[in-house]
Amino acid sequence: MSAGRPAVFDRSLETLAPEGLAAHQWRRFHAMAREVLAGNSFVRSKWQAAGVSSADDLRGWDDFRRLPFTVKRELAADQAAHPPFGTNLTYPLERYVRVHQTSGTTGTPIRWLETPESWAWWARCWAMVLAGAGVTPADRVFFPFSFGLFVGFWGGFEGARALGALAIPAGGLDSPTRLALMEALGVTVLVCTPSYALHLVETARERGLDPRKLPVRTTIHAGEPGAGIPSVRTRIEDAWGARAFDHAGMTEVGAYSYECAEQAGLHVNEAEYIAEVVDPGTGEPARDGELVLTNLGRVGSPAIRYRTGDRVRLAEAPCPCGRTFRRLDGGIRGRLDDMLIVRGINVFPAAIEEVVRRFPAIDEFQVEVFRDGELDEVRVLVELEDPSGVRPIQEAFRQTFGIRLQVAAVPPKSLPRFELKARRVVRR
Amino acid sequence: MSAGRPAVFDRSLETLAPEGLAAHQWRRFHAMAREVLAGNSFVRSKWQAAGVSSADDLRGWDDFRRLPFTVKRELAADQAAHPPFGTNLTYPLERYVRVHQTSGTTGTPIRWLETPESWAWWARCWAMVLAGAGVTPADRVFFPFSFGLFVGFWGGFEGARALGALAIPAGGLDSPTRLALMEALGVTVLVCTPSYALHLVETARERGLDPRKLPVRTTIHAGEPGAGIPSVRTRIEDAWGARAFDHAGMTEVGAYSYECAEQAGLHVNEAEYIAEVVDPGTGEPARDGELVLTNLGRVGSPAIRYRTGDRVRLAEAPCPCGRTFRRLDGGIRGRLDDMLIVRGINVFPAAIEEVVRRFPAIDEFQVEVFRDGELDEVRVLVELEDPSGVRPIQEAFRQTFGIRLQVAAVPPKSLPRFELKARRVVRR
């Protein structure tokens, strides 16, 4: 990628004008609808209840927007009633070659099956994430990830291979061993959660190593909103001497977004997804609300008008990178079910993290939530050697939220560390 | 697969007559030699020293047999001199998409790079292993394996997908969670080391579960000679209510062998490998000796006349399954560097295991080796509640080896358990 000229993975797709993009999406959606209606009893019964029993009933976007939303608890109930894989399957079980399971952060894990085609589609979507961050076949991409049933960075691993980069699997190893491997193998790209990138930094420093001396030039993050939070991104970039890129995806819908070299929010991969933003209460279109996604390349187990539970805001201006895919300003701004209401003020954990990460002395923190009638009360525990450091943090919270939050210092290394998604909000 | 009719993965290859097979191998070897000589400085310098500087110098099998052997310490020295990947590379680094590292059971780990083509070749070789064991697209294949740098069951995982079966990755989980997943997902095929299959049985029984009640009908093993040792195989089959299949492969050469439904030793995949058996001392052809392999599908990082260190014996008779690929009678009979010399008698750890596993009360054992001048002295620790059980084991050793071995009872659960390759021989 030459300086000043952003890498575009597939120019013909990524720079389509809105009408061309809509036509591309409609063509793919309609072909998928035909196949799904023929074989997928979960989708068929939902659509029939909404008056759609044939793909011919779908004549345009107005019809699309009348299709019912899909929500996670329907899928969970379906899998409970039809174990182990449920009925959101377009083909016989023999056609599927992989299975994944959600991380379980929000309730019952849901299983998802992949056909060879949908798994190749995952790899393609992730190759776009890597290409957006400037990864090339010359890169050595490190995945410190437990390759289990949670899809996590599996897709990234396949995507690195699809792109032609060297994909390095580092499951089942402790952090010091992983750091040693990164050094020995000359790793240039690190793919992990923001929390784990910071945990590796801690581990390195405990051993007298400076992560900036490693050849890592790019880090790519998912699993938490972290890399989209400016103070977290800055902390990761400073510690690694690298550029940190955000990505958001979900087991249920796939790897739907990526950052480009401009790093101005997350582009939705509109070649592979139909994205809507709706008011979480009414389901009506909104600029700031819940992200609703339909994927176009996972015909065997689709997500159609899936309510992600992610709070996003659509960016207004086109991206300077030249891509026409719409952007989510600030990435994922929080999970709707994460929202805390403290003395009448909406407080998202991501906003708390943005404040805490501005203070370099704090390596880890935790948000304790107490219930006070209908409202939440919050206490933020921060790892601090010197308790007098609490005061400026309180002041920063007051400026951000307009209310006082309790802040308490706890000893360094006393709070849990996380390899995958961090769980820093604790309900007491 | 219909009863009585063995599954053949690719009849045209697996039943080639010897001349056809030799011609197939020669064609592939010669094409590979041309490409390797052009790009691979490690091979080029070895061959030049042996008088071969062009593929045209290779006119037939006599020339092949004049090519130098490759041994592990050469590769280790090459990688130490040219870190991190050494010079046994036919293409520029940009062409490689995966890296693996030997398990380190025997010395310094060696790294091995894969191109997209060689990784697809791994999947194909393993698909043959699975097909040999009767696995079909209807199967759900479970991989309780830490997906790290050790290639281990990575190839099997890719092979299951290549075959169209459901490949279930179970890295980063403990044994009780894995058992619960096997039950929840209706697993029909388990792929792991023999030791881990037995460890899962112990774990199940501690929880009051009977592994025979799970739908597992086939187990496939590698990493240790276990599944080729009759008493170990019987124990696994009885505990799981399944048929246990053996497989042998190596990071350095790939997945070179498989069992067919006859389970009469390991077939060498001669479509993808040239196999020789040599006297370990002289390097001359032998029926019972060291296995030497040349792989034909890993042009980017080949192993040519590689001394595996595995002790094998070629079977005489053709296999009733109809495949013409030669068989290793009894599978891998031991590692040459594992051999113990006890009072002048050669004792392989695999032979000790064969005896110990005949005693169902023993869940785990360990071989302590003491040096006595040039000879080894051995003490076998067996987990036994009742120390009087030691006597019949001693008697069985005496009958097998013609000498007395020390046997000592240790408390149940006191010896280590192994997820990957067991290390049961301990030098004191």
Side-chain angles (χ1 to χ4, degrees):
Chain A
M1 156 179 156
S2 61
R5 174 98 173 293
V8 177
F9 180 67
D10 181 339
R11 178 167 294 275
S12 66
L13 278 172
E14 292 186 271
T15 61
L16 274 176
E19 324 76 67
L21 193 55
H24 163 90
Q25 290 175 335
W26 184 259
R27 211 166 35 241
R28 291 192 64 188
F29 174 72
H30 206 261
M32 176 170 88
R34 197 171 292 283
E35 194 144 355
V36 165
L37 270 173
N40 188 312
S41 61
F42 178 83
V43 173
R44 191 164 50 221
S45 63
K46 275 175 71 79
W47 286 13
Q48 275 173 349
V52 174
S53 50
S54 145
D56 298 333
D57 296 337
L58 297 164
R59 278 169 298 260
W61 290 108
D62 284 347
D63 295 324
F64 176 81
R65 279 185 287 267
R66 276 192 287 271
L67 290 173
F69 290 120
T70 307
V71 297
K72 187 165 186 174
R73 66 175 176 281
E74 282 175 274
L75 296 166
D78 174 58
Q79 297 201 345
H82 306 278
F85 302 121
T87 64
N88 182 25
L89 297 169
T90 308
Y91 307 116
L93 277 178
E94 285 71 12
R95 277 284 300 275
Y96 297 83
V97 296
R98 284 185 73 104
V99 55
H100 294 288
Q101 198 163 287
T102 54
S103 63
T105 340
T106 54
T108 325
I110 294 182
R111 298 180 182 119
W112 221 280
L113 292 175
E114 307 288 349
T115 62
E117 297 77 17
S118 70
W119 191 238
W121 170 84
W122 264 98
R124 218 163 53 235
C125 291
W126 250 101
M128 215 133 156
V129 177
L130 297 166
V135 176
T136 77
D139 278 305
R140 304 180 190 174
V141 191
F142 195 71
F143 294 88
F145 168 62
S146 285
F147 289 80
L149 269 188
F150 174 52
V151 70
F153 297 100
W154 262 115
F157 185 73
E158 296 285 6
R161 197 141 66 88
L163 192 76
L166 189 69
I168 305 170
L173 301 170
D174 61 15
S175 298
T177 309
R178 284 167 170 171
L179 282 164
L181 267 176
M182 290 177 74
E183 186 166 21
L185 301 182
V187 163
T188 57
V189 180
L190 169 65
V191 182
C192 62
T193 59
S195 295
Y196 192 66
L198 291 173
H199 175 61
L200 277 179
V201 169
E202 267 192 280
T203 306
R205 288 183 180 157
E206 280 164 24
R207 277 157 181 75
L209 301 171
D210 179 0
R212 300 180 66 92
K213 300 222 169 99
L214 295 173
V216 172
R217 64 174 182 80
T218 302
T219 66
I220 301 175
H221 305 288
E224 303 166 355
I229 301 173
S231 65
V232 178
R233 188 198 297 263
T234 302
R235 179 180 286 225
I236 294 171
E237 293 191 331
D238 287 352
W240 284 96
R243 281 185 78 185
F245 287 79
D246 193 14
H247 160 64
M250 290 178 97
T251 305
E252 303 95 301
V253 297
Y256 65 82
S257 66
Y258 60 92
E259 274 197 332
C260 65
E262 298 293 330
Q263 299 192 282
L266 286 169
H267 283 281
V268 176
N269 180 350
E270 292 190 276
E272 300 295 344
Y273 291 87
I274 298 165
E276 303 168 83
V277 179
V278 303
D279 180 296
T282 64
E284 290 301 310
R287 174 165 288 278
D288 191 334
E290 182 177 4
L291 182 64
V292 175
L293 290 171
T294 299
N295 53 21
L296 299 168
R298 213 184 190 183
V299 180
S301 53
I304 299 170
R305 300 200 87 203
Y306 186 75
R307 307 256 319 217
T308 62
D310 281 336
R311 198 173 66 97
V312 300
R313 182 160 66 209
L314 286 171
E316 309 249 359
C319 185
C321 77
R323 288 177 179 82
T324 49
F325 292 174
R326 282 182 299 174
R327 274 173 306 142
L328 309 177
D329 190 17
I332 307 304
R333 305 175 82 82
R335 301 267 317 153
L336 286 160
D337 46 13
D338 274 355
M339 191 177 74
L340 307 168
I341 308 179
V342 184
R343 279 162 267 147
I345 305 293
N346 296 353
V347 175
F348 280 93
I352 293 176
E353 179 160 16
E354 157 61 22
V355 172
V356 172
R357 293 299 193 194
R358 286 183 217 150
F359 296 87
I362 302 172
D363 275 335
E364 197 49 87
F365 71 101
Q366 190 173 72
V367 181
E368 291 188 332
V369 182
F370 311 83
R371 201 67 173 170
D372 182 10
E374 280 305 293
L375 301 183
D376 299 308
E377 193 50 60
V378 157
R379 192 161 73 126
V380 182
L381 307 181
V382 293
E383 285 186 354
L384 263 182
E385 199 93 59
D386 175 5
S388 72
V390 158
R391 183 64 70 82
I393 304 167
Q394 277 181 315
E395 179 52 26
F397 281 135
R398 204 194 50 72
Q399 286 184 10
T400 303
F401 299 114
I403 51 173
R404 277 179 58 88
L405 300 183
Q406 287 184 52
V407 180
V410 298
K413 317 259 170 259
S414 64
L415 295 173
R417 264 63 178 167
F418 304 93
E419 179 178 334
L420 278 169
K421 289 170 191 271
R423 299 187 190 208
R424 294 199 178 89
V425 178
V426 179
R427 295 196 174 260
R428 300 288 180 196
Chain B
M1 155 179 155
S2 60
R5 174 96 176 292
V8 177
F9 181 68
D10 182 338
R11 179 166 291 276
S12 66
L13 279 173
E14 291 185 90
T15 60
L16 274 176
E19 323 75 67
L21 193 56
H24 164 90
Q25 289 175 336
W26 183 259
R27 212 167 33 241
R28 293 192 65 188
F29 174 72
H30 205 259
M32 177 170 89
R34 198 172 291 283
E35 196 144 353
V36 165
L37 270 174
N40 187 313
S41 61
F42 178 82
V43 173
R44 191 164 50 223
S45 64
K46 274 176 72 78
W47 287 10
Q48 276 173 349
V52 174
S53 50
S54 146
D56 299 332
D57 297 334
L58 296 165
R59 279 169 297 261
W61 290 109
D62 284 346
D63 294 324
F64 176 82
R65 279 185 287 267
R66 276 193 287 271
L67 291 174
F69 290 119
T70 307
V71 296
K72 188 163 184 174
R73 66 174 177 282
E74 282 175 274
L75 296 166
D78 174 58
Q79 296 200 347
H82 306 278
F85 302 120
T87 64
N88 182 24
L89 297 170
T90 309
Y91 307 116
L93 278 178
E94 285 71 10
R95 276 285 298 276
Y96 296 84
V97 296
R98 285 185 73 104
V99 56
H100 295 288
Q101 199 163 286
T102 55
S103 62
T105 340
T106 51
T108 326
I110 293 181
R111 298 181 183 119
W112 220 279
L113 292 175
E114 307 288 350
T115 62
E117 297 77 19
S118 70
W119 191 237
W121 170 85
W122 265 97
R124 218 163 54 235
C125 291
W126 250 101
M128 215 133 157
V129 177
L130 297 166
V135 177
T136 77
D139 278 305
R140 302 179 190 174
V141 191
F142 195 71
F143 293 88
F145 168 64
S146 286
F147 290 80
L149 268 189
F150 174 51
V151 71
F153 297 100
W154 262 115
F157 185 74
E158 296 285 6
R161 198 141 68 85
L163 192 75
L166 189 69
I168 306 170
L173 300 169
D174 62 16
S175 298
T177 309
R178 284 169 170 170
L179 283 164
L181 267 176
M182 289 177 75
E183 186 165 22
L185 301 182
V187 164
T188 57
V189 180
L190 169 65
V191 182
C192 62
T193 60
S195 295
Y196 193 65
L198 291 173
H199 176 59
L200 277 179
V201 170
E202 266 193 280
T203 306
R205 289 183 179 157
E206 280 164 22
R207 276 158 182 76
L209 301 171
D210 179 0
R212 300 179 66 91
K213 299 222 168 101
L214 294 174
V216 173
R217 63 175 183 82
T218 303
T219 65
I220 302 175
H221 305 288
E224 303 166 355
I229 300 173
S231 65
V232 178
R233 188 199 296 262
T234 302
R235 180 180 285 226
I236 294 172
E237 293 191 333
D238 287 351
W240 284 97
R243 280 185 78 184
F245 287 79
D246 193 16
H247 160 65
M250 290 179 98
T251 305
E252 303 95 304
V253 296
Y256 64 83
S257 66
Y258 60 91
E259 274 197 332
C260 65
E262 299 292 332
Q263 299 194 282
L266 286 169
H267 282 282
V268 176
N269 181 350
E270 293 190 276
E272 301 294 345
Y273 291 87
I274 298 164
E276 303 167 82
V277 179
V278 303
D279 180 296
T282 64
E284 290 302 310
R287 174 165 288 276
D288 190 337
E290 182 177 4
L291 182 65
V292 175
L293 290 170
T294 299
N295 54 20
L296 299 168
R298 213 183 189 184
V299 180
S301 52
I304 298 170
R305 302 200 86 203
Y306 186 73
R307 307 258 318 218
T308 62
D310 282 335
R311 198 174 66 97
V312 299
R313 181 159 65 208
L314 285 172
E316 307 251 359
C319 185
C321 78
R323 287 178 180 81
T324 48
F325 291 175
R326 282 183 299 173
R327 275 172 306 142
L328 309 177
D329 191 18
I332 306 305
R333 307 174 81 82
R335 300 267 319 151
L336 286 160
D337 45 13
D338 273 355
M339 192 176 74
L340 307 168
I341 308 179
V342 183
R343 280 162 267 146
I345 305 292
N346 296 354
V347 175
F348 279 94
I352 294 177
E353 179 158 16
E354 157 61 20
V355 171
V356 172
R357 293 300 192 193
R358 287 183 216 149
F359 296 87
I362 301 172
D363 276 335
E364 197 48 87
F365 71 100
Q366 192 173 72
V367 181
E368 290 188 333
V369 182
F370 310 83
R371 202 66 175 169
D372 181 10
E374 280 306 293
L375 301 183
D376 298 308
E377 193 49 60
V378 158
R379 192 161 72 126
V380 182
L381 307 180
V382 293
E383 287 187 355
L384 263 183
E385 200 92 57
D386 175 5
S388 73
V390 158
R391 182 65 68 81
I393 303 167
Q394 276 180 317
E395 179 51 27
F397 281 136
R398 205 196 47 74
Q399 286 183 11
T400 303
F401 299 115
I403 51 173
R404 276 178 57 86
L405 300 184
Q406 286 184 52
V407 180
V410 299
K413 318 258 167 263
S414 64
L415 296 173
R417 264 62 179 166
F418 303 93
E419 179 177 333
L420 277 169
K421 289 171 192 269
R423 298 186 190 207
R424 294 198 178 90
V425 178
V426 179
R427 294 196 174 262
R428 300 287 179 198

